[in-house]
Amino acid sequence: MRGSIGLDVFDSLVKRNYDWVLELDINTEKVEFLHVNKLMNDNGINSEGVKDYAELKRLLLERFLVEDEREMFAMQIKIPLMVEEIKAKGNFIRTVHIDGGEGVRSEYFRVTAIDDNRYLICLINITMFLDHDWMTDEYSRSGFIAEAEKMMKDPKYAQGYSVVYTNIKGFKAINDFLGTFSGDMIIFMLRDILHKELEPTLIARLESDHFVLITRTELLTSERFERICPQTYVEGSKRLPFSIRFGVYNIKNPNRTIQHMLDRAKLAEKSISDNHSESYAICDDKLSAEYSMRRKLISEVDSALAKGEFKTYYQPVVDAKTGEIVSAEALIRWVHPERGVVSPAQFIPAFEEEGHITKIDSFMVGNVIDFNLARTKAGKKIVPCAVNLSRVDFYDTRLLDETMLRFDERNDMGDLIKFEITESAYAVLEADAYLFLVEMKSMGISLLLDDFGSGMSSLSTLESFAFDVIKLDKGFIDQIGKSEKAEAIIKHTIGLSHDIGAKVVAEGVETEEQLAFLKEADCDMIQGYYFYKPMTQEEFAALI
Ligand code: C2E
Ligand code: MG
Ligand code: MG
């Protein structure tokens, strides 16, 4: 039987990571071992102790599998279910965790078909692969967490130790610029610097250029960070300066989870503003409190939606020449029972990260359409209101589906709703997402390019898609009367937009002077506190 897969090939494959390799006959349910390691052998999993699949299952589950996984795994490894999955997918693989008295290990339970009746079942220890980083030979995330957990049981870490999260500022751009080989060399360089300068007790590469380490707090002085932050990569005639950034979390309570410590160190690193030259930040109580609040807000989204705590506010947009309200921007507000009115800046970024934004935006779309339809029914005046889209909305079809559904009730949506997408979100859309924009346009819906001029504006943005309206960012409007350059750019952007058939709205207009300049520059529409602040739906209804 052993010869059936070729003993030599088989032996070369079976390294010490295979706990067992066996053949299963699915008709007789008999098993035959081709290889068993010492741990399994000592526990009675061998040709003498086990003759059939039922016995193998019983021993594996009872002697090895961690308790949490037993019930589920017992269900999954029933022969007919495995056979069905192998027929569909070519193999059956589950990751399980076993504890044979030497600590928990991750294992692959892998089954493939030899022929119609015989199956090969391997149990492979993959802890090593999961816990180590293939490139730098440091720990990976899971290895770091497992090792750090063990370390924290030692009382010596209760004082004087910190978790440091670190990466290279703008690494992606460096990688694109120099190529992957040099990018990899920079990662090795960073690893060596960290070893030399921060003397880590434990270090891991999480992904790309992101490392985490635990070291003595006394080493983490500002002098040291300032010295090691600026670096230069040299390769032949290439010289590329780059900077390293550090986020620090002082371990005060070793009973906290490692994930908690890692999150805080990362949070500190993220708090370093892009425009500043600081190379490091420490997670203090304020940062920690902000983070906890964000987590709390996120945990409350669904119940807040159900309880009606989210409200749609409207900020009117007026015709620059006549001052008449021609549109509005729908802006979300969270009327929180304890915190009062929470502004979107405090929760939108977190919602985007955690996948809640599409629910919110769908809610806004529904509200805007309902509001305008109800007014239409009552014979009252309506203006199309713009809902802000997040980048994420383009990958979750919910919003498009819902709008489509409403479209079936009515052939033209353009008088009810518009959409705004920021320039930075538009810049990172994948090809598929354009279909969404095209679909919207075919429904008569206007699309606005929001915050134009705030980031890496590019004329190709204007060329690549026919936006109906370009919205000039408040940052530019603020410069009116202060910077001649900004004024020239505004004037020419308006002219350029008109030439390509788009209208222009200026956002954040607060003064008479700004308004006068924009009118003179032939700006079409104005949005800003000078005319109206965002207001409740009731106030807006009364106004128009
Ligand atoms: P945005 O789309 O650029 O919206 C304009 C922001 O500028 C609004 O802030 C508005 O209240 C504010 N603003 C308007 N005129 C003036 C002015 O004259 N002076 C000043 N100082 N501010 C003015 P808000 O409501 O806090 O919203 C902030 C951002 O949050 C929005 O920027 C938008 O990107 C996002 N956002 C708001 N509601 C939603 C939503 O329902 N969904 C999504 N995805 N994002 C939203
Ligand atoms: Mg907007
Ligand atoms: Mg804007």
Side-chain angles (χ1 to χ4, degrees):
M1 174 69 84
R2 222 173 242 225
S4 64
I5 67 160
L7 191 58
D8 43 348
V9 179
F10 170 74
D11 276 344
S12 69
L13 285 174
V14 180
K15 302 249 168 65
R16 66 189 168 88
N17 283 328
Y18 283 70
D19 285 333
W20 82 52
V21 180
L22 59 82
E23 269 187 35
L24 162 71
D25 184 314
I26 56 167
N27 297 318
T28 60
E29 301 200 3
K30 294 273 175 246
V31 296
E32 185 163 346
F33 285 90
L34 306 175
H35 160 82
V36 191
N37 76 359
K38 185 165 181 309
L39 177 69
M40 294 286 156
N41 199 17
D42 290 350
N43 276 280
I45 298 193
N46 52 34
S47 337
E48 285 75 51
V50 180
K51 303 281 181 209
D52 61 24
Y53 187 65
E55 181 60 10
L56 176 77
K57 243 171 83 170
R58 191 185 65 76
L59 282 177
L60 174 66
L61 294 171
E62 283 176 10
R63 297 223 179 128
F64 290 97
L65 214 68
V66 295
E67 204 178 329
D68 289 358
E69 295 175 9
R70 269 180 216 159
E71 199 178 328
M72 179 64 123
F73 193 56
M75 291 276 296
Q76 293 186 344
I77 58 171
K78 290 189 173 146
I79 292 175
L81 295 180
M82 293 199 306
V83 170
E84 199 181 318
E85 190 166 323
I86 291 163
K87 284 203 173 121
K89 291 194 344 205
N91 59 32
F92 174 95
I93 299 175
R94 293 291 182 277
T95 305
V96 287
H97 296 90
I98 68 168
D99 190 351
E102 301 168 331
V104 177
R105 309 190 333 201
S106 309
E107 303 265 336
Y108 259 170
F109 182 90
R110 189 172 185 281
V111 191
T112 45
I114 299 169
D115 55 35
D116 286 350
N117 302 320
R118 292 175 311 150
Y119 283 68
L120 193 68
I121 307 183
C122 309
L123 191 69
I124 311 163
N125 181 1
I126 55 167
T127 317
M128 171 71 185
F129 301 107
L130 292 181
D131 284 357
H132 282 266
D133 171 34
W134 58 276
M135 191 172 120
T136 59
D137 203 29
E138 302 295 350
Y139 281 108
S140 63
R141 180 188 301 270
S142 61
F144 179 82
I145 290 178
E147 290 303 310
E149 268 169 7
K150 282 185 221 154
M151 270 170 71
M152 290 306 138
K153 298 207 168 88
D154 183 339
K156 94 172 198 209
Y157 292 103
Q159 227 177 3
Y161 281 83
S162 292
V163 175
V164 181
Y165 171 84
T166 174
N167 65 42
I168 292 167
K169 184 178 175 183
F171 181 72
K172 196 181 169 301
I174 295 176
N175 215 15
D176 290 347
F177 179 64
L178 289 180
T180 319
F181 173 79
S182 307
D184 287 355
M185 291 300 128
I186 292 178
I187 290 173
F188 289 127
M189 191 176 157
L190 174 60
R191 175 198 62 185
D192 296 342
I193 293 166
L194 295 174
H195 272 290
K196 179 163 169 269
E197 299 285 349
L198 299 182
E199 302 170 24
T201 313
L202 183 67
I203 180 167
R205 185 172 79 120
L206 300 175
E207 69 261 315
S208 182
D209 58 321
H210 304 231
F211 284 82
V212 62
L213 57 92
I214 295 178
T215 191
R216 302 196 307 285
T217 308
E218 64 185 20
L219 293 174
L220 307 175
T221 59
S222 55
E223 293 76 27
R224 187 181 298 255
F225 282 132
E226 271 149 33
R227 180 165 53 76
I228 64 178
C229 153
Q231 294 287 341
T232 305
Y233 172 71
V234 184
E235 184 192 312
S237 58
K238 293 185 215 163
R239 289 178 66 81
L240 189 97
F242 65 92
S243 43
I244 312 174
R245 303 218 283 198
F246 304 89
V248 178
Y249 172 80
N250 303 137
I251 303 170
K252 289 177 195 132
N253 176 0
N255 296 323
R256 290 267 189 207
T257 63
I258 305 302
Q259 194 60 49
H260 174 99
M261 301 178 192
L262 188 52
D263 285 346
R264 281 355 185 234
K266 194 169 167 181
L267 190 69
E269 193 275 334
K270 294 270 170 282
S271 75
I272 305 172
S273 149
D274 273 340
N275 314 318
H276 287 74
S277 55
E278 283 108 324
S279 53
Y280 77 104
I282 296 174
C283 181
D284 54 16
D285 292 345
K286 183 168 160 269
L287 252 182
S288 216
E290 272 173 27
Y291 182 74
S292 304
M293 183 179 106
R294 271 179 60 164
R295 304 294 329 162
K296 180 131 202 318
L297 287 178
I298 287 171
S299 71
E300 292 171 353
V301 185
D302 290 321
S303 78
L305 261 174
K307 285 190 247 156
E309 288 170 19
F310 289 105
K311 304 279 181 209
T312 309
Y313 273 50
Y314 294 79
Q315 185 178 30
V317 175
V318 305
D319 182 298
K321 306 237 153 46
T322 63
E324 185 201 351
I325 297 173
V326 289
S327 170
E329 178 171 9
L331 295 161
I332 192 155
R333 295 290 179 268
W334 187 342
V335 186
H336 196 280
E338 290 141 38
R339 295 172 216 272
V341 180
V342 186
S343 95
Q346 281 178 275
F347 58 84
I348 297 268
F351 285 9
E352 283 181 332
E353 272 170 33
E354 303 282 331
H356 292 298
I357 193 71
T358 302
K359 280 188 249 194
I360 296 291
D361 290 342
S362 289
F363 161 83
M364 294 292 278
V365 171
N367 269 2
V368 162
I369 297 178
D370 287 346
F371 174 67
N372 270 340
L373 282 180
R375 286 183 65 87
T376 311
K377 249 192 201 148
K380 292 180 182 154
K381 179 189 165 181
I382 60 167
V383 292
C385 300
V387 172
N388 288 283
L389 290 182
S390 151
R391 186 179 58 83
V392 187
D393 294 329
F394 291 84
Y395 302 101
D396 187 330
T397 58
R398 227 177 316 180
L399 207 126
L400 183 62
D401 295 345
E402 249 152 60
T403 318
M404 280 302 222
L405 228 85
R406 306 303 292 264
F407 183 61
D408 293 340
E409 292 171 31
R410 191 189 172 93
N411 278 320
D412 184 6
M413 300 287 286
D415 54 340
L416 304 179
I417 192 163
K418 303 184 195 181
F419 287 111
E420 296 192 3
I421 171 166
T422 62
E423 196 190 1
S424 54
Y426 177 79
V428 295
L429 290 186
E430 309 278 338
D432 285 1
Y434 289 98
L435 294 177
F436 184 109
L437 294 176
V438 172
E439 191 92 52
M440 291 290 169
K441 278 209 101 157
S442 73
M443 293 158 77
I445 295 174
S446 290
L447 299 166
L448 285 81
L449 185 61
D450 201 359
D451 300 349
F452 188 72
S454 62
M456 305 286 274
S457 293
S458 146
L459 292 178
S460 68
T461 312
L462 298 180
E463 199 258 322
S464 65
F465 189 80
F467 284 98
D468 301 276
V469 181
I470 309 299
K471 204 177 232 201
L472 285 179
D473 189 59
K474 182 174 185 301
F476 263 112
I477 309 306
D478 287 342
Q479 293 303 312
I480 295 174
K482 293 179 193 149
S483 154
E484 283 179 13
K485 264 193 199 159
E487 289 181 354
I489 293 173
I490 295 173
K491 261 192 212 153
H492 288 284
T493 306
I494 295 173
L496 177 70
S497 304
H498 288 164
D499 286 346
I500 60 169
K503 291 208 180 309
V504 179
V505 47
E507 167 172 74
V509 176
E510 292 178 341
T511 69
E512 179 93 56
E513 186 193 4
Q514 290 167 347
L515 176 65
F517 175 88
L518 290 162
K519 271 175 146 170
E520 177 66 33
D522 204 20
C523 182
D524 305 280
M525 289 165 278
I526 307 286
Q527 176 181 355
Y529 294 177
Y530 181 77
F531 286 102
Y532 303 101
K533 288 193 170 177
M535 56 187 77
T536 62
Q537 184 165 295
E538 294 70 33
E539 288 166 329
F540 180 59
L543 185 70
I544 57 167

